[in-house]
Amino acid sequence: MFVDEDILALTMREPGNMEETSDQLSAQTAPVIIWNGLAKEEINGIKIDVDRRSWIMQDGYTLRYSLDSVNLPRNPMGRTGIRGRGRLHRWGPNHEINAVVTRWRRRGDEFLLVEGRKVLEFLVARVDDSSSAEWTLPGGPVLGDESMYSIVCRTFMEKIFGEKEAEKSVHFNEHDMESFFAMFVGERAEGPVSQGGSEVELAPGFKSKMIYCGYVDDPRNTDNAWVEAEVWNFHYNLKDTFNTRLREWENFWKEVTPAIRLYANQGTILQAVARMHEAFYG
């Protein structure tokens, strides 16, 4: 179970403050934390990396967020109307990683064409909370007790295939993640990794690319806590093996369209993916 080190810092500083509301925070009760930095902490015997650095880039440099009058982070995108930490794990940036897994929609063996353009479809997971959105991209929060690239693979197995026994890893790296998604290519061939620009091709017809890293317009954002995400696209241009592992595969593949209701600003990211692949979007 994840331990919220921010709440722990508050209670260790001021016992009995668990019931204090965010509006009652003062310079005396605010947690003593190193902002805009990376810290290593041990909580209940679990070693975690607490990364409070922003992933937002500004003029080619990593943004350094400012602090308010009680020494709490100030949302770099402005006021939300809600003070405090809200429903997020940490004050300041809350990091997440997500995957946009895409392929071309087909009719039989032929690509589906609309207005002369191929149509993308992508894998979705059910939203866990009570938000108005029905679907979300696979992925999860980066809490520091697991590699972020392990998180996206493990949560993909859990949310898409329903496999709850996927192991966590602190050593899983970017290449491991790309190799994981390359395993679902339908027709694999041995050969060297090819790379074009920022796109990597580990198998024929499969490409991976980081498409976004920065602020997320998440409904949980507050004046003092906000979501930032790294989003990857894993695209299967030829055949894949997903449907052989999905019991009701038609419920997991959705057409890339403005009509689908995705969580937060994921619809904007999806539109960028369609533009990148020159797919139909409308």
Side-chain angles (χ1 to χ4, degrees), residues 62-262:
T62 301
L63 178 141
R64 290 184 63 84
Y65 50 86
S66 60
L67 305 179
D68 64 15
S69 59
V70 294
N71 203 40
L72 289 174
R74 183 181 285 119
N75 190 321
M77 297 301 159
R79 297 288 302 275
T80 65
I82 304 173
R83 290 191 61 205
R85 191 174 53 89
R87 294 188 292 130
L88 293 171
H89 290 291
R90 293 175 180 159
W91 303 91
N94 288 257
H95 297 145
E96 296 188 353
I97 183 167
N98 296 102
V100 186
V101 178
T102 55
R103 70 182 184 185
W104 297 115
R105 175 155 285 194
R106 299 169 183 264
R107 283 182 176 171
D109 293 330
E110 301 294 327
F111 292 122
L112 175 64
L113 296 178
V114 177
E115 297 179 4
R117 292 190 175 189
K118 290 186 285 187
V119 177
L120 278 175
E121 56 184 8
F122 70 113
L123 282 171
V124 294
R126 287 278 185 184
V127 174
D128 294 331
D129 61 24
S130 58
S131 71
S132 59
E134 186 176 4
W135 305 104
T136 187
L137 300 175
V142 180
L143 301 175
D145 60 341
E146 178 183 9
S147 158
M148 62 186 294
Y149 302 113
S150 170
I151 291 169
V152 74
C153 298
R154 176 180 55 79
T155 57
F156 184 84
M157 296 299 292
E158 292 176 354
K159 295 180 179 181
I160 302 301
F161 295 124
E163 297 186 11
K164 304 299 183 182
E165 304 301 321
E167 294 184 3
K168 293 183 178 182
S169 172
V170 296
H171 304 295
F172 218 68
N173 59 33
E174 185 177 306
H175 180 74
D176 293 329
M177 172 190 67
E178 291 170 327
S179 297
F180 167 84
F181 283 98
M183 290 192 306
F184 299 103
V185 172
E187 297 176 357
R188 296 182 58 85
E190 297 298 328
V193 174
S194 63
Q195 186 167 348
S198 56
E199 281 191 346
V200 175
E201 183 173 332
L202 296 178
F206 170 78
K207 289 185 178 181
S208 65
K209 182 180 181 179
M210 187 179 74
I211 56 174
Y212 182 77
C213 187
Y215 187 87
V216 175
D217 187 17
D218 193 287
R220 298 169 295 172
N221 290 346
T222 71
D223 292 352
N224 308 110
W226 61 92
V227 176
E228 298 176 5
E230 181 172 302
V231 185
W232 285 74
N233 177 221
F234 304 100
H235 180 66
Y236 300 81
N237 195 48
L238 302 175
K239 293 183 179 181
D240 60 78
T241 62
F242 288 113
N243 290 5
T244 62
R245 300 188 61 173
L246 290 169
R247 291 183 180 179
E248 299 177 347
W249 59 266
E250 64 275 7
N251 293 330
F252 289 90
W253 287 103
K254 302 296 179 183
E255 184 176 321
V256 174
T257 168
I260 191 164
R261 294 169 61 188
L262 288 174

Side-chain angles (χ1 to χ4, degrees), residues 2-74:
F2 175 71
V3 177
D4 191 329
E5 71 281 354
D6 287 350
I7 289 296
L8 187 64
L10 276 172
T11 53
M12 290 177 66
R13 180 83 180 269
E14 292 286 333
N17 274 346
M18 284 296 287
E19 296 182 359
E20 185 175 42
T21 66
S22 59
D23 288 334
Q24 293 172 324
L25 283 172
S26 65
Q28 286 72 43
T29 61
V32 179
I33 292 170
I34 300 175
W35 305 113
N36 288 293
L38 174 66
K40 293 185 179 293
E41 301 182 10
E42 184 170 336
I43 299 175
N44 290 353
I46 301 175
K47 294 182 179 180
I48 63 172
D49 291 330
V50 182
D51 189 356
R52 299 187 190 277
R53 297 169 296 185
S54 176
W55 287 353
I56 301 171
M57 299 299 293
Q58 192 174 66
D59 299 325
Y61 296 93
T62 301
L63 178 141
R64 290 184 63 84
Y65 50 86
S66 60
L67 305 179
D68 64 15
S69 59
V70 294
N71 203 40
L72 289 174
R74 183 181 285 119

